[in-house]
Amino acid sequence: NFIKYINEDIKADRLEIAKFSEVCFEAAKLGDENAINIFNLAAKELSELINLLIKDFKYNNVKVSYIGGVFKSKKFILDPLIKLLDKRCELIPPKYTADIGAAILAMKNID
């Protein structure tokens, strides 16, 4: 299976996994149903995590953002993710790159 291949056979690092995401994106753009299904399953997993995290929030408008290479596939990951998120969530694009965002958070937490 694919997970065994990634974890044991090639002992893939993040860069190898990111390359797979790019190949999957190209296949999805060509209409490959298996590639599209991979993005749908990834969106399902992400939505389950997000929905669990906000389960006890008492807010009605929870802003959720994202970062990472898989999101370069845009509609293939974002459209199913939006459909599966709790209706209280609003998915918003990131304002900054990961490094800038981390620096801003670090600056806010300096005492």
Side-chain angles (χ1 to χ4, degrees):
N1 78 30
F2 182 70
I3 294 172
K4 180 183 178 299
Y5 172 74
I6 292 292
N7 290 330
E8 296 174 14
D9 296 343
I10 65 168
K11 297 184 181 10
D13 61 12
R14 292 180 66 210
L15 292 174
E16 291 298 318
I17 294 169
K19 287 179 191 174
F20 173 74
S21 174
E22 293 170 13
V23 170
C24 192
F25 177 44
E26 292 302 318
K29 287 193 298 188
L30 294 172
D32 184 282
E33 290 298 322
N34 291 315
I36 293 168
N37 192 43
I38 289 170
F39 285 111
N40 287 334
L41 290 172
K44 181 178 182 290
E45 296 276 336
L46 289 170
S47 71
E48 288 173 355
L49 287 169
I50 294 165
N51 291 340
L52 179 65
L53 287 170
I54 70 153
K55 186 176 92 170
D56 294 329
F57 281 25
K58 296 186 180 5
Y59 308 107
N60 287 324
N61 187 17
V62 180
K63 291 184 180 355
V64 177
S65 193
Y66 49 88
I67 195 95
V70 74
F71 294 103
K72 292 178 183 174
S73 63
K74 302 190 188 223
K75 70 174 184 173
F76 292 107
I77 190 76
L78 295 176
D79 288 354
L81 180 57
I82 290 167
K83 288 179 189 171
L84 295 167
L85 283 178
D86 183 296
K87 299 305 173 209
R88 297 177 298 149
C89 286
E90 177 186 358
L91 192 64
I92 58 171
K95 292 181 180 179
Y96 308 102
T97 59
D99 54 342
I100 302 284
I104 291 170
L105 287 174
M107 294 297 290
K108 286 183 177 181
N109 289 306
I110 292 177
D111 291 329

